Amino acid sequence: MKQSTLSEVKSAVTPRATLLVIGVVALQLLFVVSYVGALHEPKLRDVAFGVVAPPAAAERTVQRLEGLPGSPLDPRALPDEAAARKQIENRDIDGALVVNPDGTTDTLLVASGSGKALAIALGSLTDNVLEAEGRTARTVDVAPASPHDFNGLSSFYLVVGLCVGAYLCASILAISAGARPANPTRAATRLGTMVLVALVGGLGGAIVVGPILGALPGGVWALWGLGALLVFAVGAATLALQGLFGVIGIGLAILLIVIMGNPSAGGAFPAPMLPPFWEAIGPALPPGAGTWAARSISYFDGNSMTSSLLVLSAWAVAGVAVTMLAAVLRQRRATEPSSPGEAA
């Protein structure tokens, strides 16, 4: 009896199951490392920052801000407040200090639509710098976040929700009839299904955050288009990974989208507050590109979206190409006649 039970346990714990369990544990640890590593100690790093002041004072202020410990700012002199506002609206800079030559109260321009954490951090840093000189600053929000968008996080949550739905749907499509696409027809059918899912999911997300909850002020049509592109890009990439690596591809999709993509997306803390590694990879991954574009639509009149849309398009095109190529190669291998040695 004991031998029978022991043999059943041994047969249940196959090498494949063992490897999958090890993979899940590895994903758990990577999840902790990524999220804690990215978000445990946010700091300003080389934030694009404008300085408006008379020529002599501007040069002196820029030099003083460049010399701050830890290099929190990347300051540059601007000709006037209008230019500073324009660059903030275009998302070329994240804030600006307008020095008042006739008094001791300057003006700090910020954009909480890019993330309230960044606006608050810039305000705190500026207050500390000016206090040492006996000056103060009043804060003006050039692109304020909606009062229904707490901490400017609704764009990020929208993107996270769409990404999760996309890779889950792609995973279900792939494993419902085998972990790898059996032929090009099946692969094309799955991609076509993802197109429908993207259109429906993108529209649903835009309606929820817009007309239903009023969380984001951006147009429904623009958010729908972005959401559809995001869902299809993530779904196609997931199908591609599954086509190449089978069920392991699901883990790789989680690694790229959830473990690496979410903490580097600039949601809780915008990119200039993240450690260098996460700041660098964020714009190249779907969650980061989607969050940036969603904020641009909602608060910056769609400015500075081109690179993010190109990133998402690249993921979509690569996902389609790799998915179809993997299916074609798999079918070709399956139809190739076996060699005499293999037949024997």
Side-chain angles (χ1 to χ4, degrees):
M1 192 71 174
K2 290 184 178 180
Q3 287 182 341
S4 176
T5 304
L6 186 59
S7 62
E8 288 177 359
V9 171
K10 288 182 177 179
S11 62
V13 184
T14 63
R16 176 185 173 86
T18 301
L19 290 175
L20 288 176
V21 170
I22 292 173
V24 170
V25 173
L27 286 177
Q28 286 179 328
L29 296 178
L30 287 172
F31 192 104
V32 174
V33 169
S34 183
Y35 278 72
V36 176
L39 307 176
H40 77 289
E41 192 178 8
K43 294 179 180 179
L44 295 176
R45 290 178 177 84
D46 295 321
V47 178
F49 192 77
V51 174
V52 178
E59 182 179 356
R60 185 171 60 252
T61 303
V62 168
Q63 290 178 351
R64 184 169 71 255
L65 295 178
E66 283 181 336
L68 291 175
S71 185
L73 301 178
D74 178 18
R76 71 285 310 269
L78 298 176
D80 51 41
E81 182 175 342
R85 287 175 173 267
K86 187 66 175 177
Q87 289 203 21
I88 292 175
E89 292 168 356
N90 289 337
R91 309 198 74 180
D92 295 325
I93 60 176
D94 296 298
L97 178 65
V98 182
V99 177
N100 178 12
D102 301 320
T104 59
T105 301
D106 301 326
T107 300
L108 173 66
L109 304 178
V110 297
S112 61
S114 289
K116 285 189 178 180
L118 178 57
I120 292 172
L122 285 175
S124 177
L125 176 65
T126 303
D127 286 343
N128 291 336
V129 171
L130 294 179
E131 185 179 2
E133 301 178 354
R135 303 180 67 86
T136 59
R138 67 183 185 94
T139 300
V140 175
D141 203 337
V142 176
S146 165
H148 305 293
D149 181 12
F150 178 73
N151 279 347
L153 291 175
S154 296
S155 300
F156 172 61
Y157 292 141
L158 169 64
V159 167
V160 169
L162 294 177
C163 286
V164 169
Y167 73 72
L168 286 179
C169 182
S171 299
I172 291 170
L173 288 172
I175 66 176
S176 62
R180 295 172 185 262
N183 53 53
T185 301
R186 181 178 295 169
T189 300
R190 291 170 179 173
L191 289 169
T193 302
M194 282 308 308
V195 171
L196 297 177
V197 171
L199 292 173
V200 174
L203 178 59
I207 291 175
V208 168
V209 300
I212 294 180
L213 297 179
L216 293 179
V220 170
W221 292 105
L223 289 174
W224 180 16
L226 172 64
L229 176 59
L230 176 66
V231 170
F232 184 75
V234 173
T238 302
L239 289 173
L241 290 170
Q242 290 171 330
L244 291 174
F245 304 107
V247 70
I248 296 175
I250 298 176
L252 293 177
I254 294 173
L255 175 65
L256 288 172
I257 305 303
V258 179
I259 294 178
M260 297 179 66
N262 286 354
S264 65
F269 299 110
M273 301 182 72
L274 297 176
F277 173 75
W278 283 270
E279 181 183 8
I281 67 172
L285 296 174
T291 299
W292 178 275
R295 283 175 170 162
S296 289
I297 291 171
S298 299
Y299 299 117
F300 298 93
D301 295 325
N303 294 328
S304 190
M305 285 178 53
T306 302
S307 60
S308 295
L309 295 180
L310 288 175
V311 167
L312 294 176
S313 299
W315 278 87
V317 171
V320 171
V322 173
T323 299
M324 294 305 301
L325 180 61
V328 169
L329 293 177
R330 178 174 173 79
Q331 184 181 53
R332 185 175 299 175
R333 288 195 300 268
T335 56
E336 285 179 353
S338 58
S339 66
E342 292 175 334

